[in-house]
Amino acid sequence: MKASDADILIIPGYTNSGPGHWQSRWEAKLSTARRVEQAEWTKPVREDWIARIAEEVNASTRPVVLVAHSLGVPSVIHAIPHFRTPVAGAFLVAPPDVANPDIRPKHLMTFGPYPRDPLPFPSITVASRNDPFGSYEHADDVASSWGSFLVDAGEAGHINADSGHGPWPEGTMVFAQFLGRLST
């Protein structure tokens, strides 16, 4: 599949992805990409985020590819039962451990626990070995339960602009390879 064959839905996490974040850069670069906007980025409500994602997926006219970061990941996983439009695949980056009471801010725990059913579409989960919002072991565990291919990003922090992942060329390459393996 080529990017132009899909509706690429960019799903940021808590506080949205700023202009330097790789998600914002990809959105600007990919003609069929659009951001799933949330009414409240700093006080996220699980049901509202799930509903917005499902609304955008169900409004799509081409095969959907989800690109979720951080709190966007559990939001996507919880939204799956509400999808009426087929999803071709999901690129899931830096899944936070939303069941860990030590993670801040605490209200992010309302997005847990993760459903552990196998995903009904191909997926890749990219995780860091020193992500302050979730351990690599946690990412490995949830990715395994979903049947998602896990990519070890090394010591990459939260894989966001603050950890030096604005352009994120390695992520671009992995995403391009993933897209190439998806069927329309």
Side-chain angles (χ1 to χ4, degrees), residues 8 40 45 48 53 57 80 89-90 92 94 107 109 126 171 173-174:
I8 299 171
E40 185 54 69
V45 176
D48 295 347
I53 293 166
V57 167
I80 290 170
L92 310 169
H107 68 271
M109 287 183 65
V126 181
M173 290 179 357
V174 172

Side-chain angles (χ1 to χ4, degrees), residues 21 25 46 65 79 88 91 95 106 110 120 126-127 135 148-149 158 162 168 171-172:
H21 194 286
R25 292 168 186 249
R46 177 173 140 171
V65 176
F91 191 77
K106 274 204 172 293
T110 62
V126 181
S135 70
S148 184
F149 182 78
H158 195 49
D162 290 344
W168 196 32
T172 303

Side-chain angles (χ1 to χ4, degrees), residues 112-159:
Y114 281 99
R116 300 186 62 83
D117 299 325
L119 301 184
F121 42 76
S123 65
I124 285 183
T125 301
V126 181
S128 167
R129 295 223 171 238
N130 64 341
D131 188 336
F133 298 103
S135 70
Y136 184 81
E137 293 73 26
H138 170 264
D140 185 24
D141 180 51
V142 293
S144 284
S145 72
W146 301 332
S148 184
F149 182 78
L150 182 67
V151 174
D152 184 343
E155 296 205 354
H158 195 49
I159 314 176

